[in-house]
Amino acid sequence: MAHCDPNVLALAALGEPIADAAERSHLAGCVECSDELESLATTVRVARTGQADLVLPPDTVWQGVQATLASEPAPLPIPLPLNRKRSRWLAAVSVAAGLLVIAGSVAIGRTLAQGPTPTTVAVATLTTLPGAPNNASGSASLQQRGSSRTIEVDTVGLADPQGFYEVWLMSPDDSGLVSLGTMSGGQTRASFPVPDGLPLAIYSNVDISDEPIDGNPAHSAVSLLRGQFTV
Ligand SMILES: [Zn+2]
């Protein structure tokens, strides 16, 4: 999965349990997220005990945060290191907001717990390729929620695979291919997380293939539906 949602880490630093099992197990195994949680928790401890003065980030950081908030949702991903840096500051801002909760503001806590609302930032109409069932069709939408991205796929008429259907992101020139996950025969809707940092400006095509159960993880070259994201 993608790294933990910065808001989830911020709430965890404030002592809230992490409700999502996938996020809990990711956190247990991810050094980067654990480090981030630890640094947020340190901020919370320092603020709660008043052992040290909180240091304000430089003006450029606040300008960056404001610019980021003003430009959300980003239609396309920004490079990974910048993205993580931004997440850290957004998480720091969340912690600062969380400290207001400690001071007694319940409303802000509710907003943080729900996180940002997912926004549809791109859509793709999936059309049949030769060999697909005549009545097949589909669509895909790219949802952005904070820094995490999800692709939701809806299909019609895919009920009888050789083995299973597999959803891919690929570059239009076929030079790059990433598997998102599988769908079974008759399944009409699925949701897949997009790997952190994957540039959708390059991997702009959604492809659904028919995969035999042969243990070979490569694309079978039997594509049934395909479409390109447009913002
Ligand atoms: Zn992580």
Side-chain angles (χ1 to χ4, degrees):
M1 65 174 278
H3 287 299
C4 293
D5 186 318
N7 278 330
V8 170
L9 291 179
L11 287 168
L14 290 163
E16 291 282 329
I18 297 176
D20 185 70
E23 296 228 56
R24 277 200 307 273
S25 73
H26 173 87
L27 180 61
C30 177
V31 173
E32 199 174 342
C33 287
S34 301
D35 285 350
E36 194 156 343
L37 174 59
E38 182 49 38
S39 106
L40 291 169
T42 301
T43 305
V44 171
R45 276 196 299 275
V46 167
R48 276 178 169 153
T49 58
Q51 282 173 355
D53 291 328
L54 285 176
V55 179
L56 282 174
D59 282 346
T60 50
V61 170
W62 285 114
Q63 283 157 13
V65 169
Q66 282 166 348
T68 299
L69 293 174
S71 66
E72 288 280 356
L76 290 170
I78 52 178
L80 182 59
L82 186 55
N83 201 10
R84 291 301 289 166
K85 213 180 284 174
R86 186 184 73 169
S87 297
R88 285 185 59 81
W89 279 112
L90 283 178
V93 170
S94 297
V95 164
L99 291 172
L100 293 177
V101 175
I102 295 170
S105 173
V106 174
I108 291 176
R110 287 215 185 100
T111 305
L112 271 175
Q114 287 161 0
T117 310
T119 311
T120 301
V121 292
V123 292
T125 300
L126 309 182
T127 55
T128 53
L129 292 163
N134 284 334
N135 63 341
S137 64
S139 64
S141 70
L142 174 63
Q143 310 281 329
Q144 179 117 22
R145 184 188 176 101
S147 62
S148 68
R149 299 170 296 168
T150 305
I151 287 177
E152 289 188 359
V153 176
D154 289 277
T155 61
V156 172
L158 294 187
D160 188 24
Q162 294 179 62
F164 56 90
Y165 300 113
E166 188 157 2
V167 181
W168 309 78
L169 283 175
M170 58 170 59
S171 56
D173 64 2
D174 283 349
S175 64
L177 185 66
V178 173
S179 172
L180 289 179
T182 65
M183 294 176 76
S184 50
Q187 184 180 350
T188 57
R189 167 166 271 216
S191 180
F192 306 100
V194 179
D196 271 359
L198 185 73
L200 291 183
I202 296 171
Y203 292 83
S204 59
N205 274 3
V206 177
D207 177 275
I208 301 182
S209 66
D210 190 347
E211 299 289 328
I213 300 177
D214 59 3
N216 182 353
H219 194 293
S220 64
V222 183
S223 285
L224 303 180
L225 292 175
R226 194 177 294 175
Q228 185 162 20
F229 274 125
T230 51
V231 177

